[in-house]
Amino acid sequence: MTDFTEYASAFRARIDTALNQVIPDTPASQLAEAMRYSLAGGGKRIRPLLLFASYRAIAGTTEHPALETAACAVESIHAYSLIHDDLPAMDDDALRRGRPTCHLAFDEALAILAGDALQSLAFELLADSPALADGTRIQLIRHLSRAAGMHGMVVGQAIDLAAVDTELDITQLEHMHRCKTGALIDASVAMGALIGSADSQQLKALARYSRSLGLAFQVHDDILDVTADTATLGKQQGADIARNKPTYVSLLGLTAARARAQELYQEALAALTELAGDTEPLQRIAQYVVERRH
């Protein structure tokens, strides 16, 4: 974990600096404060890190004027999803990243509006970026909008809500999480590669990587929900069990869930062997995903 921490810290600083600049300080408003509270209030920044690492695997560098913009767009979608996921009508969570959730720090109506504004901000950032060629811009908007909407994250959230107090088999559970968690991870990896002008073969290999990584991320989340404590997680431990949600641990058991996470991790690494570029950052991120403590 030390190697990943050292690698990620510099990029997180770049990402956080960019995130602090996308919501203007003036005119001052509670809406802007609520947006900034959720967007720039910490987090692992896995999705932006994946975008940078994917670009590096294709281009051999992490210097491109559109990278920060695309990273902010991805993180804006992620922050919006967390705000809405925490709402009383959804998961009704009180804690996120060790702080009160947005609807408790402000109020429910403002939290909904902050999420709405962050969602539209993501596409405004991509549309306005002078560093993107028009064709690339359209590709990025297509990938991000599809990942965020009825074919990705939102349908995953709908399945998740409908699954409370029901039984899913492992195929249904994996479909839910490929949408809810995996789709935005897929988009992050694809967007970095597209900025780097990846060819179809490179995009296919990276898609296999991100598909396995997205599921590994969720399997490990389910493991942490029963093995970690609230202070470490930064959110309520045992929340899925309390809501009677199906998880990898409830379906497979803890030992088999850990084995599944390792299997998915190895699949992700295998996909990277098809790329000739520098994939070490992608490898480090995958290792972090299955070894993290929060």
Side-chain angles (χ1 to χ4, degrees), residues 70-112:
C72 288
V74 167
E75 198 67 4
S76 294
I77 293 292
H78 181 52
Y80 127 73
S81 76
L82 297 182
I83 293 174
H84 283 199
D85 210 30
D86 290 337
L87 289 169
M90 301 280 279
D91 283 348
D92 196 15
D93 276 319
L95 200 63
R96 173 68 67 178
R97 294 171 175 169
R99 304 187 304 166
T101 47
C102 188
H103 68 276
L104 294 180
F106 296 88
D107 61 53
E108 187 175 349
L110 195 62
I112 293 170

Coordinates of all heavy atoms in Angstrom, one line a residue, residues 70-112:
A70 N -11.5 16.3 -17.5 CA -12.2 15.0 -17.6 C -12.3 14.4 -16.2 O -13.3 13.8 -15.8 CB -11.5 14.1 -18.6
A71 N -11.2 14.5 -15.4 CA -11.3 14.0 -14.0 C -12.3 14.7 -13.2 O -13.1 14.0 -12.4 CB -9.9 14.1 -13.4
C72 N -12.4 16.0 -13.4 CA -13.5 16.7 -12.6 C -14.9 16.3 -13.1 O -15.8 16.3 -12.3 CB -13.3 18.2 -12.8 SG -11.8 18.9 -11.9
A73 N -15.0 16.1 -14.4 CA -16.3 15.6 -14.9 C -16.7 14.3 -14.3 O -17.9 14.1 -13.8 CB -16.3 15.5 -16.4
V74 N -15.8 13.4 -14.2 CA -16.1 12.0 -13.7 C -16.4 12.2 -12.2 O -17.4 11.6 -11.7 CB -14.9 11.1 -13.9 CG1 -15.0 9.8 -13.0 CG2 -14.8 10.7 -15.3
E75 N -15.6 13.0 -11.5 CA -15.9 13.1 -10.0 C -17.1 13.9 -9.7 O -17.8 13.6 -8.7 CB -14.6 13.8 -9.4 CG -14.6 13.6 -7.9 CD -14.3 12.1 -7.4 OE1 -14.1 11.2 -8.3 OE2 -14.3 11.9 -6.2
S76 N -17.5 14.7 -10.6 CA -18.8 15.4 -10.4 C -20.0 14.5 -10.5 O -20.9 14.5 -9.7 CB -19.0 16.5 -11.5 OG -18.0 17.6 -11.3
I77 N -19.9 13.6 -11.4 CA -21.0 12.5 -11.5 C -20.9 11.6 -10.3 O -22.0 11.3 -9.7 CB -20.8 11.7 -12.8 CG1 -21.0 12.5 -14.1 CG2 -21.7 10.5 -12.8 CD1 -22.5 13.0 -14.3
H78 N -19.8 11.3 -9.9 CA -19.7 10.4 -8.7 C -20.2 11.1 -7.4 O -21.0 10.5 -6.7 CB -18.2 10.0 -8.5 CG -18.0 9.1 -7.3 ND1 -18.7 7.9 -7.1 CD2 -17.1 9.2 -6.2 CE1 -18.3 7.3 -6.0 NE2 -17.3 8.1 -5.4
A79 N -19.9 12.4 -7.3 CA -20.3 13.1 -6.1 C -21.9 13.3 -6.1 O -22.5 13.2 -5.1 CB -19.7 14.5 -6.0
Y80 N -22.4 13.6 -7.3 CA -23.9 13.7 -7.4 C -24.5 12.4 -7.0 O -25.5 12.4 -6.3 CB -24.2 14.1 -8.9 CG -25.2 13.2 -9.6 CD1 -26.6 13.3 -9.2 CD2 -24.9 12.4 -10.6 CE1 -27.5 12.4 -9.9 CE2 -25.8 11.6 -11.2 CZ -27.1 11.6 -10.9 OH -28.0 10.8 -11.5
S81 N -24.0 11.3 -7.5 CA -24.6 10.0 -7.2 C -24.6 9.7 -5.7 O -25.5 9.1 -5.2 CB -23.9 8.8 -8.0 OG -22.6 8.5 -7.4
L82 N -23.5 10.1 -5.0 CA -23.4 9.8 -3.6 C -24.4 10.7 -2.8 O -25.1 10.2 -1.8 CB -22.0 10.1 -3.1 CG -20.9 9.3 -3.6 CD1 -19.5 9.6 -3.0 CD2 -21.1 7.8 -3.4
I83 N -24.6 11.9 -3.2 CA -25.6 12.8 -2.6 C -26.9 12.2 -2.7 O -27.7 12.1 -1.7 CB -25.6 14.2 -3.2 CG1 -24.3 15.0 -3.0 CG2 -26.8 15.0 -2.7 CD1 -24.2 16.3 -3.7
H84 N -27.3 11.8 -3.9 CA -28.7 11.2 -4.1 C -28.8 9.8 -3.4 O -29.9 9.5 -2.9 CB -29.0 11.2 -5.6 CG -29.3 12.5 -6.1 ND1 -30.0 12.6 -7.3 CD2 -29.1 13.7 -5.7 CE1 -30.2 13.9 -7.6 NE2 -29.7 14.6 -6.6
D85 N -27.7 9.0 -3.4 CA -27.8 7.7 -2.8 C -28.0 7.8 -1.3 O -28.6 6.9 -0.7 CB -26.5 7.0 -3.1 CG -26.6 5.5 -3.2 OD1 -27.7 5.0 -3.6 OD2 -25.7 4.7 -2.9
D86 N -27.5 8.9 -0.7 CA -27.6 9.0 0.8 C -29.0 9.6 1.2 O -29.3 9.6 2.4 CB -26.5 10.0 1.3 CG -25.1 9.4 1.2 OD1 -25.0 8.1 1.1 OD2 -24.2 10.1 1.1
L87 N -29.8 10.1 0.3 CA -31.1 10.7 0.6 C -32.0 9.8 1.4 O -32.0 8.6 1.2 CB -31.7 11.3 -0.6 CG -31.1 12.5 -1.3 CD1 -31.7 12.7 -2.7 CD2 -31.2 13.7 -0.5
P88 N -32.9 10.4 2.2 CA -33.9 9.6 2.9 C -34.7 8.6 2.1 O -35.0 7.5 2.5 CB -34.8 10.6 3.6 CG -33.9 11.8 3.8 CD -33.0 11.8 2.6
A89 N -35.0 9.1 0.8 CA -35.8 8.2 -0.1 C -35.0 7.1 -0.7 O -35.6 6.1 -1.2 CB -36.4 9.1 -1.2
M90 N -33.7 7.2 -0.6 CA -32.8 6.1 -1.1 C -32.2 5.3 0.1 O -33.0 4.5 0.6 CB -31.7 6.8 -1.9 CG -32.2 7.7 -3.1 SD -32.7 6.7 -4.5 CE -31.0 6.5 -5.3
D91 N -31.0 5.5 0.4 CA -30.4 4.7 1.5 C -30.5 5.3 2.9 O -30.2 4.7 3.9 CB -28.9 4.4 1.2 CG -28.7 3.3 0.2 OD1 -29.7 2.6 -0.2 OD2 -27.6 3.2 -0.4
D92 N -30.9 6.6 2.9 CA -31.1 7.3 4.2 C -29.8 7.2 5.1 O -29.9 6.8 6.2 CB -32.3 6.8 4.9 CG -32.8 7.7 6.0 OD1 -32.3 8.9 6.0 OD2 -33.6 7.3 6.9
D93 N -28.7 7.6 4.5 CA -27.4 7.5 5.3 C -27.1 8.8 6.0 O -27.5 9.9 5.5 CB -26.3 7.2 4.4 CG -26.1 5.7 4.2 OD1 -26.3 4.9 5.1 OD2 -25.9 5.2 3.0
A94 N -26.5 8.8 7.1 CA -26.2 9.9 7.9 C -24.7 10.3 7.8 O -24.3 11.4 8.2 CB -26.5 9.7 9.4
L95 N -23.9 9.4 7.3 CA -22.4 9.6 7.3 C -21.8 9.3 5.9 O -22.1 8.3 5.4 CB -21.8 8.7 8.4 CG -20.4 9.1 8.9 CD1 -20.4 10.5 9.6 CD2 -19.9 8.0 9.8
R96 N -21.0 10.2 5.4 CA -20.3 10.0 4.2 C -18.9 10.6 4.3 O -18.7 11.7 4.6 CB -21.0 10.6 3.0 CG -20.3 10.6 1.7 CD -20.2 9.2 1.1 NE -21.5 8.6 0.8 CZ -21.7 7.4 0.2 NH1 -20.6 6.7 -0.1 NH2 -22.9 7.0 -0.1
R97 N -17.8 9.8 4.1 CA -16.5 10.2 4.2 C -16.2 10.8 5.5 O -15.4 11.8 5.7 CB -16.2 11.2 3.0 CG -16.2 10.6 1.7 CD -16.1 11.6 0.5 NE -16.0 11.0 -0.8 CZ -16.2 11.6 -1.9 NH1 -16.4 12.9 -1.9 NH2 -16.1 10.9 -3.1
G98 N -16.8 10.3 6.6 CA -16.5 10.7 7.9 C -17.2 12.0 8.3 O -17.0 12.5 9.4
R99 N -18.1 12.5 7.5 CA -18.8 13.7 7.7 C -20.3 13.5 7.5 O -20.7 12.6 6.9 CB -18.4 14.9 6.8 CG -16.9 15.1 6.8 CD -16.5 16.4 6.0 NE -17.0 16.2 4.6 CZ -17.1 17.3 3.8 NH1 -16.7 18.5 4.2 NH2 -17.5 17.1 2.6
P100 N -21.2 14.4 8.1 CA -22.6 14.3 7.8 C -22.9 14.4 6.3 O -22.2 15.1 5.6 CB -23.2 15.6 8.5 CG -22.2 15.9 9.6 CD -20.8 15.5 9.0
T101 N -23.8 13.5 5.9 CA -24.2 13.5 4.5 C -24.7 14.9 4.1 O -25.2 15.7 4.9 CB -25.2 12.4 4.2 OG1 -26.2 12.5 5.2 CG2 -24.5 11.1 4.2
C102 N -24.8 15.2 2.8 CA -25.1 16.5 2.3 C -26.5 17.0 2.8 O -26.7 18.1 3.2 CB -25.1 16.5 0.8 SG -25.2 18.2 0.0
H103 N -27.5 16.1 2.8 CA -28.8 16.5 3.2 C -28.9 16.8 4.7 O -29.9 17.5 5.1 CB -29.9 15.4 2.8 CG -29.8 14.1 3.5 ND1 -28.9 13.1 3.1 CD2 -30.5 13.7 4.6 CE1 -29.1 12.1 3.9 NE2 -30.0 12.4 4.8
L104 N -28.0 16.3 5.5 CA -28.0 16.6 6.9 C -27.1 17.9 7.1 O -27.4 18.7 8.0 CB -27.4 15.5 7.7 CG -28.3 14.2 7.7 CD1 -27.7 13.1 8.6 CD2 -29.7 14.6 8.3
A105 N -26.0 18.1 6.4 CA -25.2 19.2 6.5 C -25.9 20.5 6.0 O -25.7 21.6 6.5 CB -23.9 19.1 5.7
F106 N -26.8 20.3 5.1 CA -27.6 21.4 4.5 C -29.1 21.1 4.8 O -29.6 21.2 5.9 CB -27.3 21.7 3.1 CG -25.8 22.1 2.9 CD1 -24.8 21.1 2.7 CD2 -25.5 23.4 2.9 CE1 -23.5 21.5 2.6 CE2 -24.2 23.8 2.8 CZ -23.2 22.9 2.6
D107 N -29.8 20.7 3.8 CA -31.2 20.2 3.9 C -31.5 19.3 2.7 O -30.7 19.3 1.7 CB -32.2 21.3 4.1 CG -32.3 22.2 3.0 OD1 -32.5 21.8 1.8 OD2 -32.2 23.5 3.2
E108 N -32.6 18.6 2.8 CA -32.8 17.6 1.7 C -33.1 18.2 0.4 O -32.5 17.8 -0.6 CB -34.1 16.8 2.1 CG -34.3 15.6 1.2 CD -35.5 14.7 1.6 OE1 -35.9 14.9 2.8 OE2 -35.9 13.8 0.8
A109 N -33.8 19.3 0.3 CA -34.1 19.9 -1.0 C -32.8 20.5 -1.6 O -32.6 20.3 -2.8 CB -35.1 21.1 -0.8
L110 N -32.0 21.1 -0.8 CA -30.7 21.7 -1.3 C -29.8 20.5 -1.8 O -29.1 20.7 -2.8 CB -30.1 22.5 -0.3 CG -28.9 23.5 -0.8 CD1 -29.5 24.5 -1.8 CD2 -28.3 24.2 0.4
A111 N -29.8 19.4 -1.1 CA -29.0 18.3 -1.5 C -29.4 17.8 -2.8 O -28.5 17.5 -3.7 CB -29.0 17.2 -0.4
I112 N -30.7 17.7 -3.0 CA -31.2 17.2 -4.3 C -30.7 18.1 -5.4 O -30.2 17.7 -6.5 CB -32.7 17.1 -4.3 CG1 -33.2 16.0 -3.4 CG2 -33.3 16.8 -5.7 CD1 -34.7 16.0 -3.1

